[in-house]
Amino acid sequence: MASKRSLPEEDFTCPVCFDIFKDPVLLLCSHSFCKDCLQKFWREKKSKECPVCRRQSSLGDPPLNLALRNVCESFLKEKSKRASGGSEVLCSLHGERLKLFCVEDKQPVCVVCQASRKHSGHQFLPIDEAALDYKEQLNAVLKPLQKKLKEFKGVKKTCDRTARHIKVQAHQSEKQIKEEFEKLHQFLKDEEEARIRALKEEEEQKRLIMKEKTEEMNKEMSTLSDTITAIEKQMVAEDIIFQFSWKNVCVPSSTCTQQKPQRVSGALIDVAKHLGNLRFRVWEKMKDIVQFTPVLLDPNTAEPSIIVSEDLTSFELTCTRETLPDNPERFDDSYCVLGSEGFNSGSHYWDVEVGHSTAWSVGVTTESNQRKRGTISWGRVWRVGYGFGWHNTGPRHILKQTLHTLRVHLDLDKGQVSFSDPLQNTHLHTFKHTFTEKVLPFFYSQWSPLSILPLKPSVTIEQHRLC
């Protein structure tokens, strides 16, 4: 196959603007230029010379090159036709237009090719019909590809949103970690200052005691020294003088000379009191400022209208949906949120403050239960609740009375989930089911906030009996 031959584009290009001629004019030196390009060149040069050969022109207004203009217009039309796909393509063997399509050989042919032996007995279609058939085939392939591309774009958009949310989560978590450690640092600092203050107070107290004892000892020593000096003077006097004056010397009584100076008991700092098990005692006291919540909420599962508290122990519904990543773990339709950790075995319980909420449900669900619109299996949510907004399927127990606190007791070893009122010590309902996968705490509230109550921590010491 070959297309109609044409002159190269360089033959239709102005030497000044290097574009196809527009209103070309002809100089006496036989060079042609766009009319506007030549006039602009002459204005800048201030000389009427040819831009190519530099020959001076005696014509101030050169004539139009009509032949060249017509050729340029034809060239532009042909170029536009080729660009739009409408160029005439000829058979490379016979020079005829390719109007037919050989179905067997799957190639365009001309009418002469159709009558040739090479295509004897072949089936032919008009070019436009064959093109339509193949376009329909390609369109059938194109649509699923376009659909897949749309899906990829959607997932990529979610990934980009997730990446931004990860950065926000990391920043907020780092801020909260620093705040929590600042509280711990402040507690340790206050505790350090209190213990050093107690040590200083004991030091001052013991120092005053020793000071008083020392002053008392000094008085006793001074009295004894004076008595000794007086006796020593009498001892060296002449006998006759001694006989007259010794009775005047104050001789200490026998009880006084027998009394010995007493050492002060308990005078030293009680080091054991200040240093003994210091870290344990501080840790023991720390239980007053820390709390332990048996179940924490997973904000990555919360429906976008739900706001989870910073300590992950409560949540409430807002009027607006947050722009959050549509990750697989997140509920996108129901006002639900799950616990952050699941259970495979053992006995576990947690208390939920439902307060004055008029539409809530609390319970457990399996980890594999889907969380997206239309895919949640309510038959795999074991729950107790109050008010409206319920899904009327699955294991559920609707309370007729309000209560302040609900206790959930999950006993995987016995295969049951029990609900009770811990304030009234009243049993509410029990579901029996043998769980074969991890179970997660489940929470739903349509209006008022729900809170998971903390447990009071305690410090115990165990001593093992020696054999």
Side-chain angles (χ1 to χ4, degrees), residues 150-161:
K150 185 178 180 180
E151 292 174 352
F152 271 102
K153 288 182 178 179
V155 174
K156 181 182 179 298
K157 185 177 180 180
T158 301
C159 290
D160 294 339
R161 183 179 295 171

Side-chain angles (χ1 to χ4, degrees), residues 138-168:
L138 288 176
N139 192 47
V141 177
L142 179 62
K143 285 185 177 179
L145 293 177
Q146 289 174 332
K147 182 179 179 182
K148 181 175 283 189
L149 178 61
K150 185 178 180 180
E151 292 174 352
F152 271 102
K153 288 182 178 179
V155 174
K156 181 182 179 298
K157 185 177 180 180
T158 301
C159 290
D160 294 339
R161 183 179 295 171
T162 301
R164 293 193 296 269
H165 190 63
I166 289 172
K167 188 174 182 180
V168 173

Side-chain angles (χ1 to χ4, degrees), residues 166-438:
I166 289 172
K167 188 174 182 180
V168 173
Q169 282 184 312
H171 176 73
Q172 292 178 342
S173 298
E174 180 181 351
K175 179 183 177 183
Q176 288 178 232
I177 289 172
K178 289 182 178 179
E179 290 175 354
E180 290 300 318
F181 271 93
E182 182 61 32
K183 293 177 183 177
L184 293 175
H185 294 161
Q186 188 61 46
F187 167 80
L188 293 175
K189 184 178 179 181
D190 294 342
E191 187 66 17
E192 176 189 9
E193 291 176 353
R195 291 182 177 273
I196 291 178
R197 185 165 55 251
L199 174 63
K200 295 294 185 182
E201 289 175 356
E202 183 178 353
E203 178 191 12
E204 181 65 18
Q205 181 183 5
K206 296 293 177 68
R207 190 185 65 79
L208 290 175
I209 292 174
M210 294 309 299
K211 181 180 179 182
E212 293 175 358
K213 185 66 176 178
T214 301
E215 290 177 350
E216 181 182 343
M217 296 291 290
N218 287 335
K219 290 180 180 178
E220 291 288 340
M221 290 170 60
S222 177
T223 301
L224 289 173
S225 295
D226 293 343
T227 303
I228 291 171
T229 301
I231 293 173
E232 287 177 343
K233 286 182 178 180
Q234 293 296 324
M235 292 290 291
V236 297
E238 294 181 5
D239 293 342
I240 187 65
I241 297 174
F242 175 76
Q243 290 296 330
F244 283 103
S245 61
W246 73 271
K247 292 181 180 181
N248 297 326
V249 178
C250 180
V251 179
S253 65
S254 60
T255 57
C256 179
T257 56
Q258 291 175 359
Q259 186 178 1
K260 296 181 180 180
Q262 299 296 317
R263 294 183 176 88
V264 180
S265 179
L268 298 179
I269 296 291
D270 190 352
V271 177
K273 181 182 73 173
H274 297 287
L275 298 181
N277 293 317
L278 177 59
R279 296 182 185 180
F280 176 81
R281 298 305 176 193
V282 173
W283 175 53
E284 184 181 34
K285 191 173 182 181
M286 193 177 290
K287 71 179 185 297
D288 296 331
I289 68 164
V290 299
Q291 65 180 29
F292 173 78
T293 307
V295 168
L296 296 175
L297 301 174
D298 184 359
N300 295 333
T301 66
E303 194 270 343
S305 300
I306 288 177
I307 298 296
V308 178
S309 62
E310 290 186 351
D311 62 358
L312 309 180
T313 62
S314 65
F315 73 94
E316 61 181 331
L317 192 66
T318 61
C319 297
T320 57
R321 288 169 63 92
E322 282 196 80
T323 304
L324 298 172
D326 186 22
N327 50 302
E329 301 85 0
R330 189 180 304 282
F331 288 94
D332 64 356
D333 186 32
S334 300
Y335 304 135
C336 304
V337 61
L338 299 180
S340 61
E341 294 185 14
F343 308 103
N344 286 314
S345 61
S347 178
H348 313 273
Y349 81 91
W350 54 95
D351 293 341
V352 183
E353 183 180 312
V354 295
H356 302 289
S357 178
T358 56
W360 59 266
S361 63
V362 174
V364 297
T365 186
T366 53
E367 185 180 36
S368 62
N369 197 355
Q370 298 298 306
R371 294 106 189 255
K372 301 304 178 184
R373 182 191 301 269
T375 63
I376 301 175
S377 174
W378 293 102
R380 296 162 65 186
V381 183
W382 294 261
R383 60 205 188 276
V384 162
Y386 175 80
F388 58 91
W390 275 73
H391 294 272
N392 297 319
T393 58
R396 65 198 185 282
H397 177 74
I398 303 176
L399 300 176
K400 296 182 180 180
Q401 74 281 5
T402 61
L403 73 161
H404 182 270
T405 304
L406 175 73
R407 173 166 293 176
V408 183
H409 183 195
L410 173 64
D411 194 330
L412 292 168
D413 298 333
K414 293 183 179 180
Q416 65 182 26
V417 187
S418 299
F419 301 86
S420 60
D421 182 348
L423 301 182
Q424 302 295 328
N425 196 23
T426 304
H427 175 262
L428 300 174
H429 191 76
T430 297
F431 295 106
K432 290 187 176 294
H433 182 79
T434 301
F435 296 95
T436 58
E437 61 175 298
K438 183 178 287 187

